[in-house]
Amino acid sequence: MALLEICCYSVECAVTAQQQGADRIELCAAPKEGGLTPSYGMLKSARQAVSIPVHPIIRPRGGDFCYTAGEFSAMLEDIALVRDLGFPGLVIGLLDEDGNVDMPRMRQVMDAAKGLAVTFHRAFDMCKNPVQAFDNLAELGVARILTSGQQSSAEKGLQLIRELKAHSGVLKIMAGAGVRASNLNLFLNAGVEELHSSAGKWMPSPMRYRNTGLSMSTDAEADEYSRYGVDGESVAVMKSMIERHHV
């Protein structure tokens, strides 16, 4: 049966996703950046509150996946922390300046993450040659690749996802980016074995007092009074679709 991973930006959302049938959580901070490493407090709280597998993302900033020496050193420290806290896996991705998998650094990552299932995230979608990158990642021993098939959504990238799946062997292909109940059957019919969805929506802040004249973000248009969270109903619907498809 296809596995459903839900991307969560808070411990509350992770608990909701678990209650509604998620099989695994990708834990992140900073939804507007596409997911950054959660804080120590968030990691520790998630370990206590959630019993299904939680894989934190190791990503020090938004933008590209070509990191400075200082950023990489911080990433190794975060991997050590995630390992010490007892998480079963993590999510990471590093590329070099030419858009290839950064093999020397990824070898260090795999070494630091020994015993953990490593997901190589959508840095894969930014790489120059997906088949070569796939072979590199298989050689490293990563557990899975999260990919939209190098397109803006997994639905648009389904052809490449199919090709990678045919190529795969032990390395799992997890489809992500715009995966939701309305297009879930496309992926199930294509035999995709793992599905990644944020199942999310923007919700209004509970604050009654609002100073609307300014923004805390570098984006002056940002709405400070909305929050991104998991829509539990959406998780439940996707889970039941997967179960029905399996029958």
Side-chain angles (χ1 to χ4, degrees), residues 8-10 27-39 42 57:
C8 296
Y9 292 94
S10 71
L27 190 66
C28 308
K32 288 177 184 173
E33 298 273 22
L36 302 181
T37 308
S39 72
M42 186 170 165
I57 194 170

Side-chain angles (χ1 to χ4, degrees), residues 50-108:
V50 182
S51 57
I52 60 173
V54 175
H55 292 186
I57 194 170
I58 308 292
R59 187 178 177 221
R61 58 160 172 78
D64 66 37
F65 303 101
C66 183
Y67 296 106
T68 66
E71 287 168 339
F72 182 57
S73 142
M75 291 167 88
L76 291 176
E77 293 288 352
D78 282 332
I79 291 170
L81 173 63
V82 160
R83 196 175 156 185
D84 290 349
L85 284 171
F87 287 94
L90 56 81
V91 180
I92 197 166
L94 296 98
L95 302 178
D96 64 20
E97 289 89 340
D98 296 311
N100 303 306
V101 174
D102 186 336
M103 290 297 278
R105 280 179 167 180
M106 276 303 296
R107 282 194 185 94
Q108 285 178 260

Side-chain angles (χ1 to χ4, degrees), residues 172-187:
K172 293 187 172 76
I173 298 296
M174 177 162 59
V179 172
R180 48 180 65 90
S182 59
N183 60 11
L184 196 66
N185 279 323
L186 284 175
F187 302 102

